[in-house]
Amino acid sequence: MGAYIIRRLLIGLVVLFFVTVILFILMNLMPGDPITAYIPPEVLAQAGPEYIEIRREQLGLNKPVVVRYFIWLNELVHGNMGYSVQNGEPVLSRIKERIGATFELTGTALLLAIIIGIPIGIISAVKQYSIVDSLVTLFSFTGVSIPVFFLGLGLIYVFSLRLNLLPTGGLATIGAPPSLLDKLSHLIMPAFVLSVANLAQFARYTRSSILDELGQDYVRTARAKGVKELRVLFYHILRNGMIPLITVIALQIPLLFGGAVITEQVFSWPGMGRLALEAIMQRDYPLLMGITTVIAILVLIANLLADILYAVVDPRIRYQ
Amino acid sequence: MKIVKKIWLVGLAVLLVSLMSFSPAMAVKEGGTLNLHINKTPDSLWPLTATCRRATYLFELTYNYLVGFNDANEIVPQLAESWDVSDDGLTYTFHLRKGVKFHDGYPFTAKDVEFTYTLLANKKAASLFFGKVEPVKGAKAYYDGEANKVDGIQVVDDYTIKFVLEKPNAAFLSNLMFPIVPEHIFGKIPVDQLATSPESQKLIGTGPFKLVKYVTDQYYEFECFDDYWQGKPHIEKIYVKIAKADVAIAMLEKGEIDYIPEFPPSELDYVKSLPNLKILTQTNTTWPWAWCFNLKRSYFKDKRVRQAIAYALDRQGFVDSVLRGYGTVVNFPNTNARWAWPDPSEINQYPYNPEKAKTLLKEAGWDPDRVIEILYYPGNKERDQFATIGQQMLKNVGIKADVVCMDVARAVEKFHKGNFDILQTGASAQPDPDYQSLYFESSKVIPAGDNITSYANKRVDELFKKGRKTFDPAERAKIYKEINKILNDELPWIIICEPMHVSVVNKRVHGMHFNPNIIAFRDPARLLDIHKWWLE
């Protein structure tokens, strides 16, 4: 197992290298220039004709792409992700100041999706074609298809404006002393909105995966030898049924970091999604490279983690 | 006719403003917290590199300029108490206000003015506003590294400073609306690191409020500055909250935000139903929405084609329906300088007339199979709608058009390369009409300036040059009137309309006084007298 992990990590490094090369090329193929992208034309015109050239030189944008890539890589190896084009702040510190709030939101949302979605899926599988099952199916289709901004604004309208129960957005009440209750009241709506799509998806996966297992021979055997139904469900079926779900959930982990652009915007949440969107709109290459590289690393780690978890859940799986 | 309407609207705005200030006398109350709103975090708070109006908004809380504008659009003292201009129009001597302090308690002196304007001319500072000091003697040499100081900026004593210009420039005074930054802090930081230094984001100025705290993408917290030179502000604390525009409207209703400075007119019906809010309007001549033609395209060279398109567009209908009447149709790219506007009888009003458009197109030999492109980048909810509305109106007169929407970065690249037919955009204007030269002088064709359309007219070039050298107001007015008349006839741009400036404020805020007109695009001047505001 140890050797397997090390081998996977080494392969991961090579993959990461190629991923960054491709990202860098793609980013430079994007039409538009970081300087003209964030400075309005009429302001740029006031600045004098050579302004673009001066800034390009200061930012090193006038060097060939290959040279720029290796400068970037060299700095990365030394722990420096570069500086944001717009305000010169280190990319790492711009990511850091948002990472806490991002994980808070996306982590809660994922947790909500797991602890609600999986039990719902189990119930609807066991009680197939019952009213509960139909309701779950209806709910999950609604959940997957409802646009996030619509749900978000709808909740704000009902719970903040009409019922006056929850704040419209933000991390915490401005100026109030920090408290858990205040924090939760700000977190609940965005986390719920964000979890709805995942929740529905998890419920659907759990349901179909458990239905597959229900018809298996080992289930009949277990029942035949007189094992109690609950034990059949939790001890036999669930362990096998969880394997495809591990992949589904593991693939959500990198998205945790990426944040959720729309939910963050609707609820004024200072997350990575907004930062990434801005970086794209303003062609802030260093910032965008920083964010995408971290996501690439997380994808690799999440995949490895999923593979290891398979072995833990299913003793039949062994890695050499 | 349209101008009459404009004057009427101005009158109405003045009336509204005066009614506000004469409403039943209430005693001014001290203290309280005001909640302001911006929709996105500004990309930088360093005055030399900040590009957005959101940053300007925060500058108005924290900085002062040398001069400002009054309601009649005259330049009035701010940090400069008075000034003299030499007879040849070359030397400006400013007498600075005494007893002004920066937020850290340091006194403001001529050194700070010298430092700020020298910095604007420093290439290493990557200043976006070199244009403001360019007329000063020696500024170009300093910018090019040929001199170690700007010759034309001379400190006489602590409270007197002289600016000597290269040649007379009637627009110079209005260039001086720029935040004065403290020399004792920024003088110690290497120039090329200024924009990225943590100090540059702290908004240390002489203004009525000081920045206490910034929470990433959440809010800015300001506290009143006790030693403010115009007197301690009535309001104790200000939060500037960052929220998406749709959500901000909900926050406004809930009382979490007191004031939204740029409010979409299409949402006003809803606001009118809420008892705690009031609507304020200002005419806004600084931000006309326009269709700019690419005059390098052979098929736009004939001015009859451009005029036909102007007749084809029902601009008044757009203002009445989409903008709910909060806008004015105009026919030349004006600035706020009313004295430079030609008489309405002297210009063509291009009223909606599809028949006339068809006739003109026929005369000009327009090929009905040609498909042109209307390019725009999303910028304003209402403005964006005009692209498709306009497309339909063109179709009615037999012009086929595609609408192309791109994000700013791609659109800018496209029109910088001259690869467009019609660009739909919002243009900014500064108070002095000379600012229009940026768009219409032939030496300013992109990328040297912002002459997107590649418009070239010898007479217009001549007039702009003459306008800069002329100081007699009556003579100057004649010059710009002629320019506007030519632009009205040749139509390198069709002005769609000038949207009015609509803001919504909670009724608990008192003492607000707005100039009935927005004066300058990047200097909305809405918070300039915030020290007089008070809360119920």
Side-chain angles (χ1 to χ4, degrees):
Chain A
M1 191 73 172
Y4 171 77
I5 294 175
I6 290 170
R7 203 172 69 226
R8 281 287 300 266
L9 282 176
L10 287 177
I11 296 173
L13 270 183
V14 179
V15 172
L16 189 64
F17 172 77
F18 285 108
V19 169
T20 56
V21 170
I22 294 170
L23 281 174
F24 209 87
I25 294 172
L26 278 180
M27 238 159 256
N28 281 286
L29 284 179
M30 258 196 310
D33 176 280
I35 295 151
T36 50
Y38 88 97
I39 305 173
E42 68 273 6
V43 176
L44 202 56
Q46 266 202 27
E50 314 107 338
Y51 186 79
I52 296 179
E53 286 316 307
I54 296 167
R55 283 296 285 161
R56 289 183 71 87
E57 200 182 310
Q58 281 179 344
L59 295 167
L61 284 169
N62 53 351
K63 295 194 178 77
V65 180
V66 182
V67 177
R68 274 159 52 201
Y69 176 74
F70 283 103
I71 293 175
W72 179 81
L73 193 66
N74 182 39
E75 290 294 313
L76 184 73
V77 173
H78 292 92
N80 178 3
M81 291 186 132
Y83 303 91
S84 163
V85 172
Q86 331 165 21
N87 60 5
E89 249 183 87
V91 167
L92 203 60
S93 77
R94 293 205 71 180
I95 291 179
K96 264 193 206 151
E97 63 185 17
R98 281 172 177 78
I99 195 116
T102 309
F103 279 141
E104 209 172 274
L105 174 64
T106 52
T108 313
L110 188 65
L111 211 65
L112 271 181
I114 292 174
I115 59 176
I116 303 175
I118 294 180
I120 288 183
I122 295 172
I123 295 169
S124 73
V126 175
K127 310 262 182 213
Q128 202 188 359
Y129 305 131
S130 66
I131 292 181
V132 181
D133 186 27
S134 310
L135 280 177
V136 168
T137 311
L138 179 72
F139 172 77
S140 43
F141 273 114
T142 322
V144 171
S145 37
I146 199 164
V148 172
F149 71 89
F150 180 78
L151 183 62
L153 288 174
L155 288 179
I156 290 177
Y157 182 77
V158 175
F159 289 99
S160 303
L161 280 183
R162 293 292 145 256
L163 300 177
N164 213 1
L165 285 174
L166 295 169
T168 48
L171 275 180
T173 306
I174 297 172
S179 76
L180 188 66
L181 193 71
D182 183 54
K183 186 124 233 174
L184 284 178
S185 71
H186 281 82
L187 185 60
I188 181 117
M189 275 201 295
F192 175 74
V193 167
L194 195 54
S195 70
V196 165
N198 276 340
L199 192 159
Q201 194 194 5
F202 290 171
R204 298 289 302 166
Y205 271 105
T206 311
R207 180 179 182 273
S208 64
S209 155
I210 286 184
L211 280 177
D212 275 353
E213 299 297 327
L214 273 173
Q216 299 283 331
D217 292 342
Y218 73 86
V219 177
R220 197 177 333 125
T221 313
R223 281 178 180 154
K225 71 179 185 188
V227 179
K228 286 210 176 92
E229 193 55 37
L230 274 182
R231 192 175 153 80
V232 173
L233 183 63
F234 285 104
Y235 191 76
H236 298 268
I237 298 175
L238 218 51
R239 270 186 93 160
N240 284 310
M242 281 302 105
I243 292 175
L245 262 169
I246 288 174
T247 319
V248 175
I249 295 172
L251 285 179
Q252 296 291 326
I253 291 174
L255 298 183
L256 281 184
F257 173 83
V261 181
I262 300 170
T263 314
E264 283 167 16
Q265 280 195 325
V266 171
F267 291 99
S268 318
W269 200 269
M272 297 293 302
R274 274 160 88 185
L275 189 67
L277 182 72
E278 242 167 74
I280 295 169
M281 294 308 286
Q282 310 208 324
R283 306 291 190 269
D284 197 332
Y285 300 134
L287 185 55
L288 203 49
M289 271 313 281
I291 296 170
T292 43
T293 305
V294 176
I295 293 180
I297 294 172
L298 286 176
V299 171
L300 292 171
I301 293 176
N303 277 324
L304 180 60
L305 219 61
D307 286 346
I308 294 170
L309 273 178
Y310 287 161
V312 175
V313 176
D314 188 342
R316 288 169 303 182
I317 298 174
R318 287 277 174 274
Y319 297 115
Q320 299 304 318
Chain B
M1 179 65 193
K2 297 293 149 52
I3 293 290
V4 171
K5 183 162 183 200
K6 176 178 273 182
I7 289 165
W8 187 81
L9 283 170
V10 171
L12 189 72
V14 173
L15 188 72
L16 276 176
V17 171
S18 40
L19 277 178
M20 256 156 47
S21 36
F22 291 122
S23 56
M26 273 205 271
V28 173
K29 259 170 82 175
E30 301 291 326
T33 303
L34 178 73
N35 298 298
L36 300 176
H37 163 251
I38 48 178
N39 57 10
K40 244 171 77 186
T41 311
D43 39 52
S44 173
L45 293 182
W46 178 233
L48 278 85
T49 53
T51 59
C52 53
R53 272 179 293 165
R54 302 183 294 277
T56 318
Y57 197 59
L58 302 185
F59 294 162
E60 286 178 5
L61 291 176
T62 50
Y63 287 110
N64 290 123
Y65 312 142
L66 275 189
V67 295
F69 279 92
N70 67 7
D71 288 2
N73 297 339
E74 292 155 345
I75 294 176
V76 293
Q78 260 210 9
L79 288 181
E81 211 163 19
S82 64
W83 53 89
D84 320 308
V85 188
S86 64
D87 291 339
D88 57 6
L90 286 176
T91 308
Y92 287 73
T93 310
F94 292 93
H95 305 284
L96 306 178
R97 211 171 281 279
K98 290 176 186 152
V100 176
K101 280 182 184 164
F102 283 104
H103 295 157
D104 59 358
Y106 259 74
F108 153 82
T109 65
K111 256 192 175 167
D112 300 302
V113 181
E114 180 196 25
F115 176 75
T116 302
Y117 285 95
T118 307
L119 208 55
L120 286 180
N122 192 325
K123 203 178 205 169
K124 281 196 205 137
S127 152
L128 281 163
F129 304 98
F130 174 57
K132 287 191 187 279
V133 277
E134 208 177 356
V136 176
K137 201 172 147 194
K140 188 79 180 94
Y142 179 70
Y143 183 77
D144 290 335
E146 288 157 13
N148 54 8
K149 65 190 277 286
V150 180
D151 283 342
I153 303 178
Q154 297 157 7
V155 174
V156 179
D157 59 46
D158 270 1
Y159 297 100
T160 316
I161 188 165
K162 266 188 198 168
F163 285 83
V164 183
L165 307 190
E166 199 80 54
K167 49 189 176 197
N169 187 321
F172 178 68
L173 262 185
S174 66
N175 279 354
L176 294 178
M177 282 179 67
F178 190 84
I180 299 295
V181 297
E183 188 264 347
H184 69 273
I185 294 175
F186 296 109
K188 291 181 193 140
I189 302 170
V191 172
D192 52 351
Q193 287 163 30
L194 270 173
T196 56
S197 68
E199 279 75 18
S200 71
Q201 304 301 309
K202 289 182 182 161
L203 297 169
I204 306 163
T206 53
F209 286 85
K210 49 185 182 183
L211 179 64
V212 186
K213 195 165 146 194
Y214 163 58
V215 182
T216 307
D217 270 357
Q218 294 283 290
Y219 63 88
Y220 292 88
E221 182 180 336
F222 294 90
E223 203 173 68
C224 73
F225 179 38
D226 294 345
D227 293 330
Y228 184 50
W229 60 274
Q230 297 199 67
K232 182 178 181 284
H234 300 308
I235 294 169
E236 183 76 38
K237 215 172 220 192
I238 293 178
Y239 289 112
V240 178
K241 299 181 179 176
I242 302 155
K244 202 171 162 333
D246 310 341
V247 181
I249 298 173
M251 294 169 84
L252 188 72
E253 182 184 347
K254 240 194 132 182
E256 291 174 4
I257 284 176
D258 293 310
Y259 172 52
I260 296 186
E262 282 169 58
F263 201 88
S266 48
E267 307 279 353
L268 280 176
D269 297 342
Y270 178 62
V271 169
K272 282 179 189 153
S273 68
L274 302 171
N276 61 335
L277 303 176
K278 63 185 170 193
I279 299 166
L280 306 172
T281 55
Q282 292 165 281
T283 58
N284 180 6
T285 53
T286 69
W287 194 43
W289 297 346
W291 273 14
C292 309
F293 292 101
N294 182 358
L295 297 178
K296 284 192 176 142
R297 296 274 197 258
S298 56
Y299 40 87
F300 285 144
K301 287 223 158 100
D302 190 332
K303 78 175 177 192
R304 284 174 299 184
V305 171
R306 279 137 36 203
Q307 289 173 337
I309 292 178
Y311 282 117
L313 300 174
D314 182 8
R315 295 172 292 161
Q316 190 61 48
F318 169 75
V319 169
D320 291 342
S321 58
V322 178
L323 287 181
R324 307 289 194 276
Y326 290 99
T328 317
V329 173
V330 291
N331 289 290
F332 52 88
N334 58 27
T335 67
N336 203 25
R338 276 159 213 288
W339 49 267
W341 295 359
D343 191 77
S345 64
E346 291 177 290
I347 58 167
N348 193 333
Q349 303 289 345
Y350 299 104
Y352 177 51
N353 188 343
E355 288 317 310
K356 186 149 188 183
K358 282 181 200 161
T359 320
L360 279 169
L361 284 174
K362 212 171 179 186
E363 280 172 30
W366 179 262
D367 174 4
D369 290 327
R370 180 177 288 121
V371 181
I372 57 167
E373 203 178 83
I374 303 166
L375 172 69
Y376 79 99
Y377 49 89
N380 175 288
K381 206 163 124 184
E382 282 93 14
R383 185 179 79 210
D384 296 347
Q385 290 180 37
F386 191 77
T388 37
I389 295 175
Q391 179 194 29
Q392 189 59 41
M393 290 169 179
L394 290 187
K395 197 178 153 201
N396 293 343
V397 297
I399 298 177
K400 289 183 186 153
D402 287 334
V403 171
V404 178
C405 174
M406 283 182 175
D407 69 316
V408 182
R410 279 173 68 199
V412 168
E413 188 175 87
K414 200 167 145 76
F415 72 75
H416 268 211
K417 284 185 184 155
N419 184 16
F420 72 102
D421 288 324
I422 294 175
L423 172 73
Q424 174 175 300
T425 183
S428 71
Q430 295 293 335
D432 195 275
D434 177 53
Y435 195 74
Q436 300 294 353
S437 64
L438 200 57
Y439 302 118
F440 301 109
E441 211 171 356
S442 63
S443 61
K444 304 277 173 67
V445 170
I446 260 179
D450 213 13
N451 187 343
I452 303 161
T453 57
S454 308
Y455 180 69
N457 179 316
K458 279 207 184 95
R459 181 69 188 148
V460 170
D461 287 351
E462 249 168 53
L463 286 166
F464 274 125
K465 275 199 197 91
K466 207 169 138 201
R468 264 171 239 137
K469 280 185 283 190
T470 309
F471 284 81
D472 177 53
E475 278 299 309
R476 269 200 106 202
K478 249 194 236 163
I479 293 169
Y480 292 103
K481 278 178 186 174
E482 187 180 341
I483 291 176
N484 278 328
K485 266 188 270 178
I486 297 173
L487 294 177
N488 169 260
D489 178 55
E490 299 213 317
L491 285 184
W493 291 13
I494 293 173
I495 310 292
I496 303 165
C497 68
E498 287 171 348
M500 270 177 109
H501 195 95
V502 181
S503 46
V504 177
V505 61
N506 195 303
K507 285 183 182 154
R508 77 184 188 107
V509 184
H510 295 267
M512 293 172 109
H513 171 79
F514 287 146
N515 190 316
N517 314 296
I518 300 277
I519 290 180
F521 177 66
R522 285 191 79 253
D523 307 279
R526 285 178 296 251
L527 304 179
L528 284 181
D529 61 350
I530 195 161
H531 61 284
K532 290 183 195 156
W533 296 17
W534 58 276
L535 303 169
E536 213 175 290

